[in-house]
Amino acid sequence: MNKIDWDNLGFEINPADKMFIAHYREGRWDDGKIVDYSTIPIYPSAVVINYGQGLFEGMKAYRTEDGRIAMFRPRDNAKRLNNGCRRLCMPELAEDFFLESVKALLIENKEFIPPCGKGDLYIRPILFGSGQMLGVNPADEYTFIIFMSPVGPYFKSGFSGINLEIRDDYHRAPQFGTGGVKAIGNYAASLYPRRVVKENEYDEVIYLDAKTCTYIEEVGSANFFMLKNGVISTPMLGGSILPGITRDSVLTVAQKRFDLIPQERDIRYVEVFSADEVFCTGTAAVLTPILTVSYRGKRHTIGDGKPGGVTRRLYDELKGIQLGARPDDFGWFYEVK
Ligand SMILES: *Cc1c(COP(=O)(O)O)cnc(C)c1O
């Protein structure tokens, strides 16, 4: 293992030594195996390369303060991957096979889990059509790989926030498209809009619904939340929004631990300008405060333009549950031994 500088980790690929690889051939998955992280051979005619038949997942392993290894709701990632498999005509994985594979690899790579407070080990399962096909058809062979990479704390300079731009000239996902699953093509389509807003010094895009351009969908690869008068709102899932596990966790914690009123509903973008607090959620960032939201060149400051107090408390609560430092009556903390 190469020496890792634990104090200077970013969100970059820094592959752990081992990866897991399994193949689906002749109608069944093999047991898979743990091998050295390396390149993989692939046919030029593989369906994933030609037609984008592929999915990914994103999860993390945490080192707790007392040195244990933990994950957060990993079975939900298995379920979400299988939902995606159905949408993309790929063979599903048994949930236990998924979990056992992640755990076995995690044990092999455990020296790549950063010490508590220095970051986490990001876990990236991918599943794709590796069989050959000329016409647009599902592949007859599939590959499932898990690789891992230590990543730094999302907030290098403390709990700072981001500045976003609402765009009505690019959409992430249409109704009845593939926005509700982690299909790789969704992210290829988001590269250009992201480049456009970055050129204007915004951190990310806020997408509107593709049908009416009226309602908030989500933020690049994170779910959107707003707080107003004790009500915590997030766009309701309708197939175009990715059902984030962090999103679900925040809705639950907000209601059960903070007495906030959770609402999954249509949120008009104009409502956001007068919100008390706005933030986005995902495995990488947990909760990221949104300080300003711009639309058609006009910048709207949320609250006093600083990370919100409720956002901060929700972040601490969720992070505490993930690290086993706060009570978890939801069954989310998942220790790996
Ligand atoms: C992965 C992802 C999220 C966040 O999901 P989590 O399960 O919370 O990590 C949100 N939106 C998109 C588009 C995503 O790809």
Side-chain angles (χ1 to χ4, degrees), residues 22-334:
H23 295 282
Y24 179 95
R25 293 192 186 104
E26 289 166 6
R28 59 175 290 272
W29 285 105
D30 65 18
D31 294 337
K33 56 180 190 292
I34 292 173
V35 298
D36 287 343
Y37 180 84
S38 71
T39 56
I40 50 166
I42 191 156
Y43 292 117
S45 56
V47 179
V48 64
I49 299 182
N50 292 267
Y51 304 124
Q53 191 189 24
L55 286 170
F56 69 94
E57 265 303 327
M59 53 216 292
K60 277 176 170 177
Y62 310 92
R63 181 72 72 179
T64 67
E65 212 141 326
D66 56 5
R68 292 177 294 160
I69 300 170
M71 296 182 67
F72 187 67
R73 308 181 64 174
R75 195 172 282 278
D76 292 303
N77 294 90
K79 290 193 163 78
R80 186 167 67 190
L81 184 67
N82 282 335
N83 284 337
C85 285
R86 285 191 286 277
R87 181 64 179 82
L88 297 192
C89 297
M90 307 205 289
E92 293 177 40
L93 288 169
E95 283 176 26
D96 287 326
F97 174 74
F98 176 92
L99 278 178
E100 292 308 317
S101 309
V102 171
K103 281 199 292 194
L105 185 64
L106 197 48
I107 300 297
E108 285 286 319
N109 282 331
K110 66 172 185 292
E111 66 268 46
F112 289 88
I113 309 173
C116 190
K118 304 279 187 190
D120 315 294
L121 185 60
Y122 187 80
I123 302 170
R124 171 55 62 82
I126 56 176
L127 200 165
F128 54 90
S130 43
Q132 311 189 73
M133 206 55 76
L134 196 55
V136 180
N137 286 301
D140 54 0
E141 292 183 0
Y142 293 84
T143 303
F144 172 58
I145 292 175
I146 309 167
F147 63 89
M148 302 180 168
S149 172
V151 294
Y154 200 80
F155 303 109
K156 280 203 201 80
S157 50
F159 194 63
S160 51
I162 52 176
N163 301 294
L164 305 186
E165 184 179 37
I166 298 173
R167 297 296 298 210
D168 54 16
D169 50 354
Y170 300 101
H171 292 299
R172 196 189 84 89
Q175 203 184 4
F176 312 133
T178 56
V181 301
K182 274 174 132 55
I184 57 176
N186 297 342
Y187 304 85
S190 74
L191 295 174
Y192 186 71
R194 198 149 174 272
R195 172 179 287 176
V196 169
V197 302
K198 291 230 175 219
E199 275 163 8
N200 295 319
E201 316 260 300
Y202 298 110
D203 296 294
E204 259 292 357
V205 188
I206 297 179
Y207 290 100
L208 299 177
D209 74 284
K211 209 167 166 185
T212 69
C213 264
T214 310
Y215 306 107
I216 303 277
E217 291 257 306
E218 59 178 310
V219 181
S221 48
N223 293 113
F224 180 91
F225 279 86
M226 68 169 264
L227 274 149
K228 178 85 182 174
N229 300 331
V231 177
I232 181 164
S233 309
T234 191
M236 62 186 176
L237 303 175
S240 60
I241 293 170
L242 199 285
I245 294 163
T246 321
R247 172 189 180 277
D248 182 73
S249 307
V250 166
L251 282 172
T252 304
V253 162
Q255 181 181 21
K256 300 260 163 73
R257 299 246 167 112
F258 292 86
D259 282 328
L260 295 166
I261 300 160
Q263 284 187 353
E264 297 179 73
R265 62 178 179 92
D266 287 332
I267 299 175
R268 290 172 181 277
Y269 68 82
V270 287
E271 286 182 59
V272 174
F273 306 146
S274 59
D276 298 333
E277 298 183 28
V278 180
F279 61 88
C280 60
T281 66
T283 294
V286 192
L287 273 80
T288 304
I290 298 169
L291 307 182
T292 66
V293 175
S294 300
Y295 181 64
R296 294 192 172 169
K298 189 166 177 349
R299 188 182 285 256
H300 302 265
T301 301
I302 308 300
D304 58 4
K306 298 202 192 78
V310 178
T311 307
R312 170 93 240 183
R313 277 159 48 221
L314 283 166
Y315 174 87
D316 288 342
E317 188 67 26
L318 203 58
K319 198 79 205 149
I321 296 172
Q322 288 174 340
L323 294 178
R326 294 202 183 182
D328 169 19
D329 20 82
F330 312 112
W332 293 343
F333 182 80
Y334 186 91

